[in-house]
Every structure is written in C-alpha cells, then in structure tokens.
Amino acid sequence: MSTSTAIRVRGLRKTYAGVAAVDGLDLDVAHGEVFALLGPNGAGKTTTVEILEGYRRRDAGEVSVLGADPARPDPGWRARIGIVLQSSGGHDELSVQELVHHFAGYYPDARDPDEVIAAVGLDEKRATRARHLSGGQRRRLDVALGILGSPALLFLDEPTTGFDPEARREFWSLITALADGGTTIILTTHYLDEAEHLAGRVGVITGGRIVALDTPDRLGGRHHDQAVVQWTEDGRQRTERTAEPTALVTALAHRLGGEVPGLAVSRPTLEDVYLRLIGEPAQTLEVVS
Amino acid sequence: MSTAVSPARIAMSRASLETRSYFRERDSLIFSFLFPVIMLGIFAVAFGGEDVGESSGPPIDFAQYFLPGMVASGIMLVSFQTLAISLAIEREDGTLKRLRGTPMPPVSYFLGKVGMILVVGLSQIVLLLAVAALAFGVDLPTEPAKWLTFAWCYVLGTAGGAVLGIAYSSVPRSAKSASAVVVGPLLVLQFISGVFFVFSDLPSWLQNVASVFPLKWLAQGMRSVFLPEHFEELEASGSWQHGPTALILSLWLIVGLVICVRTFRWQRRDDG
C-alpha cells in the first residue's frame, strides 16, 4: 500500500502514570523529506519517535508509518525501516566487520556490508571489537547498522551526541547523501546547527505537542524578525533592532564618515527562536498560524 | 544484493555469533565454562585417595564420586546462569531493543542461544570427562544404556535450565546486580542438591526442599550414569528414580516455557 506521506499522525496521545507525555500530536512527513524534531528533555520527543518505530504502544490517535500501523509491526515493515536508537551498546565482544556482516543477513535488500563500513568511516576499525571503539566510533557503528537494510525511512535519535566537530561534519555529509538518494529521515537532536544544516523542516515539540513547524529559516516567524545592528560609537557599544537594517547601516556610514567601527548585523539564530518557542508555547502558536 | 531471508540461516548465524561472544568473554569462560573443571580438580586434589561407598560394595575415589555432580552443575551453569546473566545484560544495554528494531525473527534469536548452549555445554562436558579420565583416572561408563540415560538427562536439564534462565533474567533489577542475583541462589542450590557432597548426608527436610528443584534430579540422573550400580542403594530413596527424574525435569521445562512466553521483554521495565 503506498501513500503520499511517509508518516501521518493524528491526535497521538500517550500517558505514563496519569501524566501525558504526548498530548494530541499531529504530524505529516512526506516521502524523501528530512524532518528534525526538536524539544527539551521530557517534551515527548523520544516517546513520539519510539511509537513511530513500533517500540511503544499509544493510548490514542491514528498513526501510519510507510502505510502501516507501527503498533503491529511485521518483518517486511521492519525491513524498510532503519533505526538508530539514542543509546547504543551491546555486542561488545564482536568486531565491526562481524557485526555489520551479521546484521546484513537480517535484510532482504541489504547494502554491501563493506561499503557501509567505509561509508561511516570505520574502514580502519573493521577488526576492532565494539568494546574498544570510542563513543563517536560506536555511534558510527550504530548508524552503519541502521542504514544497512537500505531503509526507505531512517530514524536518527540524537545521532551525533559525543562527536567531535570534524566527525559531526562527516556524519552530516553521510546523512545528506542518504537524503539525496531519496531516504526519508526523522532526526531528533539537541544541536540546532545540526537541524538547520540537515533538515528541510523542523518541528518543535514541548508539553507533548508540536508548537511550531516550518523550514529552519522561517521557524517561529524567524524571517519576520527584526535584525539587530551593532556598532561602536563614542567608545561605547550600541545596539539597535530594526526592520530596515540596510537603511540604518547607510545612515550610520554617512554619520560616522565611511567605515562603521565594530559593525555587525545579525538575525536571531535558530537557537534564539527555539529557546523563545519552548519558553512561550501559547504565544508561538499564534505566530505559526 | 537481494537474498531470501530464512529464519534457520539467521539462527545459525546467531549461534555462531553468540558462541564467539561467549568464548571471548573472560568472566563467563572462567565462571561458567571452566568452573566445574576447576572444582573437580580442587576436590580431587583435596580429597583424593579418600574412598566413598564402602558400605555397599567396592569403594570408589572421591574424584569419581564428584564427577556426576560437576557434570550436573556445569549443565546448570552453562544453561541457566549464562542465559540469566547475559539476557539481563542484553536487556539493559539495549542489545535486545536494537534486535527488536530489525526484521530478525525472534525465533532465530532464541534458537541462536540454544545453539550456543549446545556447543558450549557439550564442549564443557567433553573437557570435564577428559580431565576426569586422563588426570584423575576416573573410569567412564561403556554401556550404551548409561549413555542413553546421560543423553536424556543432558537434553532435559539443558533445555529446562535454558528456559528457566531466560525467565529468571527478568528478576535482576540491573545488569550490575545480575551476576549476584543469579550466582547466589544457584550456589545455594548446588550445596543442597548434592553437587558438592553426598546428598543423603543432608538432613531430610533439606533433601525435601532440594527435591522441588531440578538440579537435585539432574545430579541424581548423572550419578546413575557415572557411578557403579551398587551406589543405587546409597541414594536417599534407594533407587535412581529415573521416572520421577524425567517427570520433574520435564515439568520444570514446561513451567519455564510458560513463564518465558508470558513475561519475556525486549526492553527494560522502565522503557516503554
């Protein structure tokens, strides 16, 4: 059964001991999209993602993932989904090569294990046992096992936690390559630069609901936000918010006679917008609608 | 590359993976694989030359008397202890959760564990018998009937220990406590089941307690294989009791299976 959306969620609800972790969440993700789910710890991110992955049962709502209900997962459905869980561990005594070759046997349409090992940059660690990998290398092994079955839909739950900046950049190019190949990707992350770099759309979840949903550059009305112009005048740092930064800078240049000392023009970063969104959910709902 | 995925082939592949993991893990190697061999060695050296069973016929050496207990103990260590500890750890560290997120058929996972236990268990027994025969001069039985008894005792004991180990793996609250929570009770059971000393020397109430659990019966079944015929009189009941042994080991196997099917979890209690 093929549907136009990879993921469709309506009115999803999940409570733990009377407390709603997910409280009426709606979401659509199109095929081929890279979608990032942001939110503070305890906002309902992992609960939502694990319901979509088939790990947890929902209390209410409709969920369709690749045209099937994840509450009744069958092996054919699992073969089309790749999962990189938040925590990685286990299989400590086996080498990268043994594990990747072994897991490849689970999938009817597995990628070439050696190619996958190379793609995640573990070529030099093929013979190393999982126990002896660094945190970042172990995470890359997780990713290798997640993408091994050529999934149509890949879940990445905080995939780059513990990566150094260089490893993170390499990981981003790997994910971009998968997305270019048509893989739908659901990403949760605490790194806003990661969401901005990878995701076509970003959803902010807090209190078990999506409070903002847009492209990274428009999230929370970011593109309407005023620019902040900073400069130095009379030995003091000056700051002014304006909807017309070009006019302000031109005026400054005229007034200060050419080059403006200490000039900086900035827009709110995704992080600024995000922090505002999770602090004031009610207000942001208006902005979005 | 597109290949048909068969649960049997995945099970074989898992058995090979599990066996390699087992032998690379030093703790399990010493405390479940080599433990009975080490114990037999200690008993043979400590009590070597002392005789047992002179009241009913020609006495035998202590090393020979302890061999069946160590065989029974080894079966429980490899099946019950190995699975209870490793599953508690695999549940905690996310191994099981990760596997559940793949199309791996659950039956292949369990068959893989069974395969690993068969390989490990049989190699342990071969090693134990070889050490007993070559180092301590124990005479091994030659009659096919005795080896048939050995076979059904081994199969029922291993299968029961395995399912009970899987069921028991949900008891430890964390991977850290798993070893203590599993090894402790099993050690007590070994003491009261006639593994480390003569069962009929125990007070009768303790014999009755031990008779509820499978290890006592497994040890008795193994004594019927490895001890001379006249030792049958020295049993508490005066008989090898093959019928009750088969019955009680089978009952534990069924109980264990039912508990497994009803309580097995791929995730920690606090997760999902």
Side-chain angles (χ1 to χ4, degrees):
Chain A
M1 156 161 97
S2 101
T3 46
S4 55
T5 51
I7 293 176
R8 184 175 188 277
V9 178
R10 290 293 177 272
L12 181 63
R13 217 172 285 278
K14 174 80 184 177
T15 53
Y16 295 109
V19 181
V22 180
D23 192 11
L25 183 135
D26 298 334
L27 181 65
D28 287 288
V29 178
H31 283 293
E33 196 177 355
V34 179
F35 182 85
L37 203 52
L38 306 179
N41 288 328
K45 268 188 325 238
T46 295
T47 301
T48 302
V49 169
E50 292 202 345
I51 288 171
L52 300 179
E53 292 167 341
Y55 281 118
R56 296 180 194 224
R57 302 204 156 253
R58 60 184 183 270
D59 294 332
E62 288 170 43
V63 180
S64 163
V65 175
L66 296 181
D69 183 346
R72 284 184 289 278
D74 65 61
W77 181 82
R78 289 208 192 275
R80 292 193 294 144
I81 284 181
I83 299 174
V84 176
L85 290 166
Q86 201 177 97
S87 59
S88 57
H91 293 111
D92 282 348
E93 302 298 336
L94 299 161
S95 71
V96 169
Q97 183 166 266
E98 285 174 313
L99 275 171
V100 177
H101 279 262
H102 171 76
F103 272 71
Y106 295 169
Y107 295 93
D109 195 23
R111 294 175 59 173
D112 176 43
D114 296 317
E115 258 176 51
V116 171
I117 292 171
V120 298
L122 284 177
D123 238 348
E124 287 169 14
K125 295 284 169 187
R126 313 172 57 89
T128 306
R129 293 186 190 174
R131 171 188 295 288
H132 300 299
L133 295 175
S134 72
Q137 289 164 347
R138 192 144 194 159
R139 214 68 190 109
R140 288 193 236 177
L141 174 60
D142 292 338
V143 173
L145 299 180
I147 64 176
L148 199 50
S150 331
L153 171 62
L154 177 63
F155 290 97
L156 300 166
D157 202 354
E158 297 182 12
T160 60
T161 304
F163 278 34
D164 59 41
E166 194 193 345
R168 176 166 292 132
R169 291 281 163 176
E170 283 172 14
F171 176 78
W172 289 358
S173 14
L174 173 66
I175 297 308
T176 307
L178 287 171
D180 290 346
T183 308
T184 309
I185 295 169
I186 306 295
L187 168 79
T188 74
T189 181
H190 282 301
Y191 301 107
L192 292 134
D193 55 339
E194 186 161 287
E196 189 155 27
H197 188 95
L198 293 175
R201 278 195 311 151
V202 173
V204 176
I205 182 171
T206 178
R209 290 160 169 269
I210 303 252
V211 294
L213 186 70
D214 216 321
T215 57
D217 57 340
R218 297 173 65 95
L219 189 78
R222 190 179 166 198
H223 58 300
H224 292 311
D225 275 330
Q226 293 193 324
V228 177
V229 178
Q230 279 187 341
W231 73 98
T232 312
E233 192 173 347
D234 303 330
R236 283 196 307 131
Q237 175 147 319
R238 306 275 298 268
T239 301
E240 196 169 321
R241 287 175 163 275
T242 171
E244 296 169 329
T246 312
L248 177 60
V249 171
T250 311
L252 282 173
H254 199 70
R255 190 163 89 217
L256 302 171
E259 196 58 37
V260 181
L263 177 67
V265 181
S266 60
R267 299 264 175 192
T269 63
L270 187 57
E271 185 160 321
D272 296 331
V273 175
Y274 167 75
L275 290 174
R276 201 176 67 206
L277 283 167
I278 62 170
E280 302 161 317
Q283 198 183 333
T284 50
L285 272 175
E286 289 169 18
V287 175
V288 173
S289 57
Chain B
M1 82 184 173
S2 190
T3 44
V5 172
S6 103
R9 209 174 55 200
I10 294 176
M12 292 293 287
S13 167
R14 282 219 61 87
S16 145
L17 202 78
E18 297 267 13
T19 308
R20 269 176 283 164
S21 285
Y22 177 91
F23 282 111
R24 287 175 193 177
E25 178 78 58
R26 216 171 297 137
D27 293 355
S28 62
L29 200 58
I30 294 171
F31 290 102
S32 68
F33 187 75
L34 295 177
F35 190 74
V37 180
I38 295 169
M39 289 305 285
L40 181 73
I42 291 172
F43 276 119
V45 170
F47 305 108
E50 289 184 35
D51 288 341
V52 191
E54 43 280 272
S55 58
S56 60
I60 54 166
D61 190 76
F62 242 69
Q64 176 158 12
Y65 185 79
F66 278 112
L67 179 63
M70 290 303 111
V71 170
S73 208
I75 288 173
M76 278 296 147
L77 289 172
V78 167
S79 59
F80 179 83
Q81 177 172 309
T82 301
L83 283 193
I85 295 177
S86 73
L87 260 88
I89 292 173
E90 287 183 6
R91 191 174 287 117
E92 169 118 346
D93 72 13
T95 305
L96 292 182
K97 187 174 183 181
R98 187 207 296 270
L99 289 172
R100 198 69 188 111
T102 72
M104 177 202 73
V107 65
S108 305
Y109 174 81
F110 293 106
L111 288 176
K113 288 282 186 201
V114 169
M116 179 264 281
I117 284 167
L118 287 178
V119 172
V120 172
L122 287 174
S123 5
Q124 181 188 56
I125 284 171
V126 167
L127 181 68
L128 195 55
L129 297 184
V131 169
L134 301 176
F136 305 114
V138 173
D139 291 329
L140 298 180
T142 48
E143 306 93 317
K146 291 220 167 188
W147 287 107
L148 187 69
T149 306
F150 171 82
W152 67 255
C153 284
Y154 172 76
V155 168
L156 281 180
T158 301
V163 292
L164 290 169
I166 294 171
Y168 193 79
S169 71
S170 302
V171 174
R173 290 176 178 277
S174 73
K176 276 185 197 160
S177 68
S179 300
V181 174
V182 175
V183 174
L186 187 57
L187 196 64
V188 173
L189 197 60
Q190 285 173 302
F191 269 99
I192 67 170
S193 297
V195 163
F196 294 131
F197 43 80
V198 182
F199 184 70
S200 51
D201 287 354
L202 289 171
S204 61
W205 67 270
L206 211 49
Q207 292 185 14
N208 292 337
V209 172
S211 299
V212 175
F213 298 100
L215 184 55
K216 179 257 175 189
W217 299 96
L218 188 56
Q220 189 171 319
M222 290 301 172
R223 284 199 293 275
S224 80
V225 174
F226 293 102
L227 298 187
E229 279 308 326
H230 67 265
F231 272 73
E232 186 164 2
E233 296 167 30
L234 298 181
E235 290 296 323
S237 64
S239 154
W240 294 129
Q241 293 181 297
H242 279 167
T245 302
L247 183 72
I248 286 169
L249 291 180
S250 306
L251 276 178
W252 274 104
L253 173 59
I254 293 163
V255 168
L257 270 176
V258 170
I259 299 175
C260 280
V261 169
R262 296 196 160 212
T263 65
F264 187 81
R265 292 182 58 107
W266 295 86
Q267 282 153 261
R268 292 193 310 264
R269 263 175 285 198
D270 60 347
D271 182 12

